[in-house]
Amino acid sequence: MDILLLLYAIPLFCLFILILKKIDSKQDKECYILDYQCHKPTDDRKLDTKFSGEVILRNKQLGLPEYKFLLKAIVSSGIGEQTYAPRIMFSGREADPTLEDGISEMDEFFNDSIAELLERSGVKAQEIDILVVNVSMLASTPSLSARIINRYKLREDVKVFNLTGMGCSASLISIDIVRNIFKTYKNKFALVVTSESLSPNWYSGNDRSMILANCLFRSGGCAMLLTNKRELKHRAMFRLKCLVRTHHGSRDESYQCCIQREDEQGKPGFHLGKTLPKSATRAFIDNLKEIAPKILPIRELLRFALVLLLKKILRRGSTKGAPSPRAVINFRSGVDHFCIHTGGKAVIDGIGTNLELSEYDLEPSRMTLHRFGNTSASSLWYVLGYMEAKKRLRKGDRIFMISFGAGFKCNSCLWEVVRDLGDANVWKDCIDNYPPESLANPFTEKYGWIHGEDPDTFVVPESIEF
């Protein structure tokens, strides 16, 4: 009898050990953010209304129609007067950039943010096991990742990934790379560096689809320190719950709506096509279809399915044109905070409308757009910083990040807040001033007279009274 019990017990014991090992190994595959540091350029790089007007007037390719178009674009952009531009703008050389201009712009960010991040976290540069750098529109040799390795003397066996051309959604792609490496390698530190080099990418022509990018993009960047070390999980700020990437590059319309090219005069720039909103919406919907079941409670998914079913039944039985209930999934049932890419006021408004978000939900993205502009792939982390500076983030909260990028791509992920957070970070000198009473910028007040000018008699004034 004892032998029989032993024969039964041994397989059960082995099964128990296997289950424990499975649970134990899963803990080593978690992806935590230990800390992050957004870049705040120096005040001599601030781009106010007066200087913006001077930069526009330097482009002799523009006429009255382009001035009116730019004025309308910047007034409706949601961008304020505290954003930052590369130094090349202030020396008047934006139309004739050099390779050194782009590299020095990145060095200023690398030397500031990475150094501060490592010092604050207590992690030495030689402890970094993985380095992922994404700067979409600057490729140098040696690579930008090599410059970081040289500057901070990282180890010879560091695993390095240098991404270009990924657009505004690149930071979540970098996070995904780290997440997958963490599934294979235990007890690692990863440094993710995300930014955009604007110096070599100013458009000096008059194609409206390309000068629009000049209005929207601003200087910025962010460095993030990630780990899968279980002993550090209590020090961590966020834990990655899931991440979904959607790529519509196989659709010609989506591929061509947001693309770097030359205009008819051979001037390089970044084209934003009229099909961009449609392509972004399509990618966004497909991304939501995949991530919703991963982040929302079962009760909300069942409710949504029932509403869809009811809508189909009513549509079949009703007369043509009769209204039917709108099927909208409630993302707030599984999400506490929404971290939306600051691609522009229209992007934030569109996501807010489609997800039926409140102004409270949209405030971090609106304020980030106003204060820092669209800093490309790093913009999400300025939005996250706003939430933290406002002391919104509490242990257990869930943050939904949404980003878009050329290709066309929509990437999203869900973070869980590991502990109560409240550092003012990059917002520390201005968080008390946000939200302001009005987000209106003074461009209309300064340049509104342009709308009353006659195209036949208009002459660019030699001087403007500001």
Side-chain angles (χ1 to χ4, degrees), residues 259-304:
I259 190 169
Q260 188 178 17
R261 65 174 176 82
E262 295 175 337
D263 65 10
E264 294 179 351
Q265 298 175 337
K267 296 182 181 296
F270 203 73
H271 164 77
L272 301 175
K274 293 181 179 180
T275 61
L276 177 57
K278 179 181 177 182
S279 299
T281 301
R282 185 189 294 124
F284 182 47
I285 291 173
D286 285 354
N287 186 274
L288 291 183
K289 286 179 181 178
E290 186 174 349
I291 199 169
K294 301 175 186 291
I295 67 175
L296 298 182
I298 296 296
R299 66 179 185 277
E300 174 57 24
L301 298 174
L302 289 174
R303 184 201 66 80
F304 181 67

Side-chain angles (χ1 to χ4, degrees), residues 308-442:
L308 279 179
L309 180 61
L310 178 62
K311 185 176 181 179
K312 290 182 179 179
I313 294 173
L314 291 177
R315 185 183 298 168
R316 290 175 183 174
S318 63
T319 58
K320 187 176 181 181
S324 58
R326 186 188 174 201
V328 178
I329 196 163
N330 181 16
F331 273 84
R332 281 182 290 185
S333 63
V335 175
D336 300 293
H337 310 282
F338 294 84
C339 192
I340 303 168
H341 168 56
T342 59
K345 183 176 181 296
V347 173
I348 299 171
D349 289 345
I351 293 177
T353 299
N354 287 315
L355 298 185
E356 295 192 342
L357 303 182
S358 66
E359 278 303 313
Y360 178 85
D361 296 323
L362 300 177
E363 180 186 307
S365 295
R366 291 198 195 282
M367 299 307 110
T368 299
L369 180 63
H370 184 267
R371 175 61 181 86
F372 293 99
N374 178 359
T375 58
S376 189
S378 65
S379 67
L380 288 173
W381 309 98
Y382 289 88
V383 179
L384 187 66
Y386 182 89
M387 296 176 185
E388 185 182 0
K390 283 293 186 181
K391 296 181 171 49
R392 291 188 177 192
L393 304 181
R394 293 290 177 261
K395 182 178 179 179
D397 284 359
R398 292 152 69 93
I399 305 166
F400 186 29
M401 278 189 172
I402 307 166
S403 66
F404 300 91
F408 192 84
K409 300 182 288 292
C410 177
N411 301 326
S412 64
C413 69
L414 188 75
W415 296 96
E416 179 185 356
V417 181
V418 176
R419 54 184 172 84
D420 291 352
L421 301 174
D423 184 13
N425 53 75
V426 74
W427 290 87
K428 60 185 177 183
D429 67 334
C430 60
I431 191 62
D432 293 335
N433 299 326
Y434 280 88
E437 294 182 2
S438 172
L439 293 179
N441 61 40

